[in-house]
Amino acid sequence: DIVMTQTPSSQAVSAGEKVTMSCKSSQSLLYSENKKNYLAWYQQKPGQSPKLLISWASTRESGVPDRFIGSGSGTDFTLTISSVQAEDLAVYYCEQYYDTPYTFGAGTKLELK
Amino acid sequence: EVQLVESGGGLVQPGASLKLSCVASGFTFSDYWMSWVRQTPGKTMEWIGDIKYDGSYTNYAPSLKNRFTISRDNAKSTLYLQMSNVRSEDTATYYCTANPGVFAYWGQGTLVTVSS
């Protein structure tokens, strides 16, 4: 199985701050034939289901604010929130869909400083 | 609007069986592969498996393959998860999702608690 490692596990932030979180995979998620990275990011707020934010490592879903930026390739990926808003306080998960079983990271929890 | 509504969860004894359902609406159910994903009380997310749009193929996480079965009824726009010989470690919220891999749509989840 591909192991997904997210750091940090939690992060205290203030509104307006720039935030970055990391996701590393135990093997490359870059498919050579189409040059795509099979990596997604999800946001889960308390009491809610996960919400897809980004697929293909950097493609935002429709309606996702442009302050959410996904980047990286191969085994190292980053989710950046350019200016954190109060409504962004949540747990963020990365997930690989390069191969089954699809696997998730343990999450990064954003908390208020 | 896409809606996925899970049901069938509850308190179940170790070793018992349980069948979860997920009713879909707002999209053409029979066009989509579907998946089940679960989240433990400690918030660990685990993909359980998926099923092809016509029900002809299923794929499971190896650790669950022998105890869990996914099926669907396209006429009823309903996805199922049959769980057998449940264990305490199966305690989780079970989510129905569409489009395996890139899980674009999620239900609200149904909680399964395995305890004597």
Short mmCIF file of all heavy atoms in Angstrom, two decimals, chain A residues 40 42 44 48-52 55-56 61 93 95 97 100-102 104 106, chain B residues 37 39 43 45-47 50 59 61-62 95 100-104 106-108:
data_model
loop_
_atom_site.label_atom_id
_atom_site.label_comp_id
_atom_site.label_asym_id
_atom_site.label_seq_id
_atom_site.Cartn_x
_atom_site.Cartn_y
_atom_site.Cartn_z
N ALA A 40 -5.18 14.10 -4.25
CA ALA A 40 -6.30 14.98 -3.94
C ALA A 40 -6.19 15.51 -2.52
O ALA A 40 -5.56 14.89 -1.66
CB ALA A 40 -7.63 14.23 -4.11
N TYR A 42 -8.70 17.14 0.66
CA TYR A 42 -10.05 17.27 1.18
C TYR A 42 -10.04 18.15 2.43
O TYR A 42 -9.07 18.14 3.19
CB TYR A 42 -10.63 15.90 1.55
CG TYR A 42 -10.72 14.95 0.39
CD1 TYR A 42 -9.63 14.17 0.01
CD2 TYR A 42 -11.90 14.83 -0.35
CE1 TYR A 42 -9.70 13.31 -1.07
CE2 TYR A 42 -11.98 13.98 -1.43
CZ TYR A 42 -10.87 13.22 -1.78
OH TYR A 42 -10.95 12.37 -2.86
N GLN A 44 -12.33 18.83 5.91
CA GLN A 44 -13.43 18.33 6.73
C GLN A 44 -13.62 19.24 7.94
O GLN A 44 -12.74 19.34 8.80
CB GLN A 44 -13.20 16.89 7.19
CG GLN A 44 -14.41 16.30 7.91
CD GLN A 44 -14.23 14.84 8.28
OE1 GLN A 44 -13.12 14.39 8.59
NE2 GLN A 44 -15.31 14.07 8.26
N GLN A 48 -19.07 17.52 9.78
CA GLN A 48 -19.41 17.46 8.35
C GLN A 48 -18.65 16.33 7.65
O GLN A 48 -17.65 15.82 8.15
CB GLN A 48 -19.11 18.79 7.67
CG GLN A 48 -19.93 19.95 8.18
CD GLN A 48 -19.69 21.22 7.38
OE1 GLN A 48 -19.13 21.19 6.28
NE2 GLN A 48 -20.12 22.34 7.93
N SER A 49 -19.12 16.02 6.46
CA SER A 49 -18.41 15.06 5.61
C SER A 49 -17.23 15.76 4.95
O SER A 49 -17.21 16.99 4.83
CB SER A 49 -19.36 14.56 4.52
OG SER A 49 -20.53 14.02 5.08
N PRO A 50 -16.24 14.99 4.50
CA PRO A 50 -15.14 15.61 3.76
C PRO A 50 -15.65 16.27 2.48
O PRO A 50 -16.63 15.83 1.89
CB PRO A 50 -14.23 14.42 3.44
CG PRO A 50 -14.55 13.41 4.48
CD PRO A 50 -16.02 13.56 4.74
N LYS A 51 -14.93 17.31 2.09
CA LYS A 51 -15.24 18.03 0.86
C LYS A 51 -14.00 18.06 -0.02
O LYS A 51 -12.91 18.41 0.44
CB LYS A 51 -15.66 19.47 1.19
CG LYS A 51 -15.85 20.38 -0.01
CD LYS A 51 -16.06 21.82 0.41
CE LYS A 51 -16.10 22.76 -0.78
NZ LYS A 51 -16.23 24.18 -0.37
N LEU A 52 -14.16 17.67 -1.27
CA LEU A 52 -13.05 17.70 -2.20
C LEU A 52 -12.68 19.13 -2.53
O LEU A 52 -13.51 19.91 -2.97
CB LEU A 52 -13.42 16.94 -3.48
CG LEU A 52 -12.39 16.94 -4.61
CD1 LEU A 52 -11.13 16.18 -4.19
CD2 LEU A 52 -13.01 16.32 -5.86
N SER A 55 -7.94 18.25 -6.93
CA SER A 55 -7.57 16.98 -7.51
C SER A 55 -6.38 17.18 -8.44
O SER A 55 -6.00 18.32 -8.75
CB SER A 55 -8.76 16.36 -8.26
OG SER A 55 -9.21 17.23 -9.27
N TRP A 56 -5.79 16.08 -8.89
CA TRP A 56 -4.61 16.15 -9.76
C TRP A 56 -3.54 17.07 -9.19
O TRP A 56 -2.85 17.77 -9.92
CB TRP A 56 -5.00 16.54 -11.18
CG TRP A 56 -6.08 15.68 -11.74
CD1 TRP A 56 -7.36 16.06 -12.02
CD2 TRP A 56 -6.00 14.29 -12.05
NE1 TRP A 56 -8.07 14.99 -12.48
CE2 TRP A 56 -7.26 13.89 -12.51
CE3 TRP A 56 -4.98 13.33 -11.96
CZ2 TRP A 56 -7.54 12.58 -12.89
CZ3 TRP A 56 -5.25 12.02 -12.34
CH2 TRP A 56 -6.52 11.66 -12.81
N GLU A 61 -11.42 22.44 -7.32
CA GLU A 61 -12.79 22.14 -7.70
C GLU A 61 -13.57 23.44 -7.89
O GLU A 61 -13.22 24.49 -7.33
CB GLU A 61 -13.46 21.28 -6.63
CG GLU A 61 -12.92 19.87 -6.54
CD GLU A 61 -13.14 19.09 -7.82
OE1 GLU A 61 -14.31 18.84 -8.18
OE2 GLU A 61 -12.12 18.74 -8.46
N TYR A 93 -7.05 16.60 4.61
CA TYR A 93 -6.51 15.29 4.30
C TYR A 93 -6.00 15.27 2.85
O TYR A 93 -6.65 15.82 1.96
CB TYR A 93 -7.59 14.21 4.41
CG TYR A 93 -8.15 14.00 5.79
CD1 TYR A 93 -9.30 14.67 6.20
CD2 TYR A 93 -7.55 13.13 6.69
CE1 TYR A 93 -9.84 14.47 7.47
CE2 TYR A 93 -8.07 12.92 7.95
CZ TYR A 93 -9.21 13.60 8.33
OH TYR A 93 -9.74 13.39 9.59
N GLU A 95 -4.94 12.48 -0.22
CA GLU A 95 -5.32 11.12 -0.62
C GLU A 95 -4.69 10.80 -1.96
O GLU A 95 -4.68 11.64 -2.86
CB GLU A 95 -6.85 11.00 -0.73
CG GLU A 95 -7.35 9.65 -1.22
CD GLU A 95 -8.12 9.75 -2.53
OE1 GLU A 95 -8.49 10.86 -2.94
OE2 GLU A 95 -8.33 8.68 -3.15
N TYR A 97 -4.73 8.48 -5.35
CA TYR A 97 -5.58 7.59 -6.15
C TYR A 97 -4.78 7.03 -7.33
O TYR A 97 -5.37 6.64 -8.35
CB TYR A 97 -6.87 8.27 -6.59
CG TYR A 97 -6.74 9.63 -7.24
CD1 TYR A 97 -6.79 9.78 -8.61
CD2 TYR A 97 -6.61 10.79 -6.46
CE1 TYR A 97 -6.70 11.02 -9.21
CE2 TYR A 97 -6.52 12.03 -7.04
CZ TYR A 97 -6.56 12.15 -8.42
OH TYR A 97 -6.48 13.40 -9.01
N THR A 100 -4.93 1.35 -6.13
CA THR A 100 -5.71 0.83 -5.02
C THR A 100 -4.84 -0.08 -4.16
O THR A 100 -3.91 -0.71 -4.67
CB THR A 100 -6.93 0.02 -5.52
OG1 THR A 100 -6.49 -1.06 -6.34
CG2 THR A 100 -7.88 0.92 -6.30
N PRO A 101 -5.09 -0.12 -2.86
CA PRO A 101 -6.13 0.62 -2.15
C PRO A 101 -5.81 2.11 -2.07
O PRO A 101 -4.68 2.49 -1.75
CB PRO A 101 -6.12 0.00 -0.76
CG PRO A 101 -4.72 -0.50 -0.58
CD PRO A 101 -4.28 -0.96 -1.94
N TYR A 102 -6.81 2.94 -2.42
CA TYR A 102 -6.63 4.37 -2.24
C TYR A 102 -6.33 4.62 -0.76
O TYR A 102 -6.95 4.00 0.11
CB TYR A 102 -7.89 5.13 -2.66
CG TYR A 102 -8.36 4.80 -4.05
CD1 TYR A 102 -9.65 4.33 -4.27
CD2 TYR A 102 -7.52 4.95 -5.15
CE1 TYR A 102 -10.08 4.02 -5.54
CE2 TYR A 102 -7.95 4.64 -6.43
CZ TYR A 102 -9.23 4.17 -6.62
OH TYR A 102 -9.65 3.84 -7.88
N PHE A 104 -5.27 7.52 2.49
CA PHE A 104 -5.34 8.89 2.99
C PHE A 104 -4.23 9.15 3.99
O PHE A 104 -3.79 8.23 4.69
CB PHE A 104 -6.68 9.12 3.71
CG PHE A 104 -7.89 9.06 2.83
CD1 PHE A 104 -8.44 7.83 2.47
CD2 PHE A 104 -8.51 10.22 2.37
CE1 PHE A 104 -9.58 7.76 1.67
CE2 PHE A 104 -9.64 10.17 1.58
CZ PHE A 104 -10.18 8.95 1.23
N ALA A 106 -3.11 11.15 7.58
CA ALA A 106 -3.77 11.24 8.88
C ALA A 106 -4.39 12.61 9.13
O ALA A 106 -5.13 12.78 10.10
CB ALA A 106 -2.79 10.91 9.99
N VAL B 37 -16.25 4.55 1.90
CA VAL B 37 -15.08 4.99 2.67
C VAL B 37 -15.52 5.08 4.12
O VAL B 37 -16.65 5.50 4.39
CB VAL B 37 -14.57 6.37 2.18
CG1 VAL B 37 -13.45 6.89 3.08
CG2 VAL B 37 -14.11 6.30 0.73
N GLN B 39 -14.52 6.23 8.31
CA GLN B 39 -13.69 7.09 9.16
C GLN B 39 -13.86 6.64 10.60
O GLN B 39 -14.97 6.63 11.13
CB GLN B 39 -14.10 8.56 9.01
CG GLN B 39 -13.20 9.52 9.77
CD GLN B 39 -13.47 10.97 9.44
OE1 GLN B 39 -14.62 11.36 9.20
NE2 GLN B 39 -12.44 11.79 9.40
N LYS B 43 -10.56 9.46 13.57
CA LYS B 43 -10.56 10.26 12.33
C LYS B 43 -9.70 9.68 11.21
O LYS B 43 -9.49 10.37 10.20
CB LYS B 43 -10.17 11.72 12.60
CG LYS B 43 -11.09 12.41 13.59
CD LYS B 43 -12.53 12.37 13.13
CE LYS B 43 -13.45 13.09 14.09
NZ LYS B 43 -14.88 12.97 13.69
N MET B 45 -9.10 7.83 7.91
CA MET B 45 -9.94 7.56 6.74
C MET B 45 -9.43 6.31 6.05
O MET B 45 -8.22 6.14 5.83
CB MET B 45 -9.84 8.74 5.75
CG MET B 45 -10.21 10.08 6.33
SD MET B 45 -11.97 10.32 6.39
CE MET B 45 -12.31 10.46 4.67
N GLU B 46 -10.38 5.43 5.63
CA GLU B 46 -10.00 4.17 4.98
C GLU B 46 -10.95 3.89 3.83
O GLU B 46 -12.17 3.82 4.03
CB GLU B 46 -10.01 3.01 5.98
CG GLU B 46 -9.59 1.68 5.39
CD GLU B 46 -9.57 0.57 6.42
OE1 GLU B 46 -10.24 0.69 7.46
OE2 GLU B 46 -8.90 -0.45 6.17
N TRP B 47 -10.39 3.68 2.65
CA TRP B 47 -11.19 3.26 1.50
C TRP B 47 -11.53 1.79 1.67
O TRP B 47 -10.65 0.97 1.93
CB TRP B 47 -10.40 3.49 0.22
CG TRP B 47 -11.02 2.94 -1.01
CD1 TRP B 47 -12.07 3.45 -1.71
CD2 TRP B 47 -10.60 1.79 -1.73
NE1 TRP B 47 -12.34 2.68 -2.82
CE2 TRP B 47 -11.44 1.65 -2.86
CE3 TRP B 47 -9.59 0.83 -1.54
CZ2 TRP B 47 -11.31 0.61 -3.78
CZ3 TRP B 47 -9.45 -0.20 -2.45
CH2 TRP B 47 -10.30 -0.31 -3.56
N ASP B 50 -14.87 -0.34 -4.19
CA ASP B 50 -15.74 0.32 -5.14
C ASP B 50 -16.40 -0.69 -6.07
O ASP B 50 -16.08 -1.88 -6.08
CB ASP B 50 -15.03 1.43 -5.92
CG ASP B 50 -13.74 0.99 -6.58
OD1 ASP B 50 -13.69 -0.16 -7.07
OD2 ASP B 50 -12.78 1.79 -6.60
N ASN B 59 -13.94 -3.99 -6.39
CA ASN B 59 -12.55 -3.94 -5.98
C ASN B 59 -12.54 -3.55 -4.51
O ASN B 59 -13.26 -2.63 -4.12
CB ASN B 59 -11.81 -2.89 -6.83
CG ASN B 59 -10.32 -2.90 -6.61
OD1 ASN B 59 -9.75 -3.88 -6.16
ND2 ASN B 59 -9.67 -1.79 -6.94
N ALA B 61 -10.35 -3.11 -0.56
CA ALA B 61 -9.12 -3.08 0.23
C ALA B 61 -8.82 -4.50 0.68
O ALA B 61 -9.73 -5.19 1.18
CB ALA B 61 -9.30 -2.16 1.43
N PRO B 62 -7.60 -4.97 0.47
CA PRO B 62 -7.27 -6.37 0.79
C PRO B 62 -7.62 -6.78 2.22
O PRO B 62 -8.05 -7.91 2.45
CB PRO B 62 -5.76 -6.43 0.55
CG PRO B 62 -5.51 -5.39 -0.49
CD PRO B 62 -6.47 -4.28 -0.16
N TYR B 95 -19.17 6.18 4.87
CA TYR B 95 -19.60 7.13 3.86
C TYR B 95 -19.75 6.45 2.50
O TYR B 95 -18.89 5.65 2.09
CB TYR B 95 -18.58 8.25 3.70
CG TYR B 95 -18.44 9.18 4.86
CD1 TYR B 95 -17.38 9.06 5.76
CD2 TYR B 95 -19.35 10.21 5.06
CE1 TYR B 95 -17.23 9.93 6.82
CE2 TYR B 95 -19.21 11.10 6.12
CZ TYR B 95 -18.15 10.94 6.99
OH TYR B 95 -18.00 11.81 8.06
N PRO B 100 -14.93 7.02 -7.58
CA PRO B 100 -13.80 6.50 -6.81
C PRO B 100 -12.46 7.09 -7.20
O PRO B 100 -12.18 7.33 -8.36
CB PRO B 100 -13.83 5.00 -7.11
CG PRO B 100 -15.24 4.71 -7.42
CD PRO B 100 -15.74 5.94 -8.14
N GLY B 101 -11.65 7.31 -6.17
CA GLY B 101 -10.35 7.93 -6.40
C GLY B 101 -10.45 9.40 -6.07
O GLY B 101 -9.99 9.85 -5.03
N VAL B 102 -11.07 10.13 -6.94
CA VAL B 102 -11.37 11.54 -6.67
C VAL B 102 -12.80 11.57 -6.14
O VAL B 102 -13.78 11.58 -6.89
CB VAL B 102 -11.25 12.39 -7.95
CG1 VAL B 102 -11.54 13.85 -7.64
CG2 VAL B 102 -9.86 12.23 -8.56
N PHE B 103 -12.91 11.58 -4.82
CA PHE B 103 -14.22 11.43 -4.17
C PHE B 103 -14.94 12.78 -4.16
O PHE B 103 -14.87 13.54 -3.21
CB PHE B 103 -14.05 10.87 -2.76
CG PHE B 103 -13.37 9.53 -2.74
CD1 PHE B 103 -12.07 9.39 -2.28
CD2 PHE B 103 -14.03 8.40 -3.21
CE1 PHE B 103 -11.44 8.16 -2.28
CE2 PHE B 103 -13.41 7.17 -3.20
CZ PHE B 103 -12.12 7.04 -2.73
N ALA B 104 -15.66 13.04 -5.24
CA ALA B 104 -16.26 14.35 -5.42
C ALA B 104 -17.53 14.52 -4.59
O ALA B 104 -17.87 15.64 -4.21
CB ALA B 104 -16.56 14.58 -6.89
N TRP B 106 -20.02 13.07 -1.33
CA TRP B 106 -20.06 12.28 -0.10
C TRP B 106 -21.45 12.37 0.51
O TRP B 106 -22.09 13.42 0.45
CB TRP B 106 -19.07 12.82 0.93
CG TRP B 106 -17.63 12.75 0.53
CD1 TRP B 106 -17.01 13.48 -0.45
CD2 TRP B 106 -16.62 11.94 1.11
NE1 TRP B 106 -15.68 13.14 -0.51
CE2 TRP B 106 -15.41 12.21 0.43
CE3 TRP B 106 -16.61 10.99 2.15
CZ2 TRP B 106 -14.21 11.57 0.76
CZ3 TRP B 106 -15.41 10.37 2.47
CH2 TRP B 106 -14.22 10.66 1.78
N GLY B 107 -21.86 11.28 1.14
CA GLY B 107 -23.06 11.34 1.95
C GLY B 107 -22.74 11.92 3.31
O GLY B 107 -21.59 12.31 3.58
N GLN B 108 -23.73 11.92 4.19
CA GLN B 108 -23.53 12.46 5.53
C GLN B 108 -22.95 11.40 6.47
O GLN B 108 -22.49 11.72 7.56
CB GLN B 108 -24.85 12.99 6.11
CG GLN B 108 -25.75 11.98 6.81
CD GLN B 108 -26.39 10.98 5.85
OE1 GLN B 108 -26.38 11.16 4.63
NE2 GLN B 108 -26.98 9.93 6.39
#
